Amino acid sequence: MIADTSGAGKLLRYAAIARTISHRLGPLLDVLLAGAKSGNQDLREFAESIKRERLLGATEIVRQVIETGDARPGLDPDHARDLIWTLISPEVYQLLSHERGWTDDEYQEWLARSFVRELLDERRPAGRPH
């Protein structure tokens, strides 16, 4: 992902990474996050740590996309970061995959389209280096 020179390429790879993490950790995170909501202090701290790490990752992917020059004109990096942070949350994955029955392929494809639609300049050809 880091080596990819296009914003679209970075976002497509990031969607694949988010899918892999969600698939592997989703069931465990469901249990741990439910425990955090029940008041267990250690699990609450764990949940906050996950949120912070997810925010760091979202911040970094937005920074990388902006550096490619492919970002939508006027893109607010903080707003973009918040969108990415929300879209890759364990709660969104759980809702779509467990409650609505989406496959991991469907989740990844939706995530990638959402990233591209929200962050990229639609006037530039997708996936092409400058």
Side-chain angles (χ1 to χ4, degrees):
M1 182 184 76
I2 293 170
D4 201 308
T5 60
S6 74
K10 287 180 180 296
L11 292 172
L12 296 177
R13 291 174 193 271
Y14 197 67
I17 291 167
R19 170 214 180 135
T20 299
I21 291 170
S22 295
H23 176 80
R24 289 184 182 167
L25 298 179
L28 177 61
L29 285 178
D30 290 346
V31 172
L32 294 173
L33 295 176
K37 289 177 185 172
S38 73
N40 180 294
Q41 182 61 30
D42 290 336
L43 292 178
R44 275 201 317 254
E45 290 173 13
F46 175 74
E48 288 305 312
S49 176
I50 288 173
K51 289 178 186 177
R52 283 191 305 274
E53 292 296 321
R54 196 169 80 242
L55 190 63
L56 288 172
T59 301
E60 178 61 18
I61 189 62
V62 169
R63 183 191 66 75
Q64 287 186 32
V65 168
I66 290 170
E67 284 183 357
T68 68
D70 293 339
R72 184 169 40 82
L75 179 72
D76 177 342
D78 292 338
H79 184 76
R81 174 208 58 212
D82 292 348
L83 286 170
I84 298 289
W85 181 80
T86 300
L87 292 173
I88 63 172
S89 71
E91 295 85 357
V92 168
Y93 177 78
Q94 194 276 339
L95 285 170
L96 293 175
S97 69
H98 299 151
E99 296 211 18
R100 302 307 311 151
W102 285 28
T103 67
D104 282 349
D105 285 342
E106 290 170 321
Y107 169 76
Q108 180 180 336
E109 290 167 12
W110 166 78
L111 200 56
R113 282 192 314 272
S114 298
F115 290 168
V116 167
R117 182 177 50 251
E118 292 295 331
L119 272 69
L120 296 187
D121 183 352
E122 58 192 34
R123 297 171 298 176
R124 291 196 145 199
R128 294 199 183 161
H130 321 357

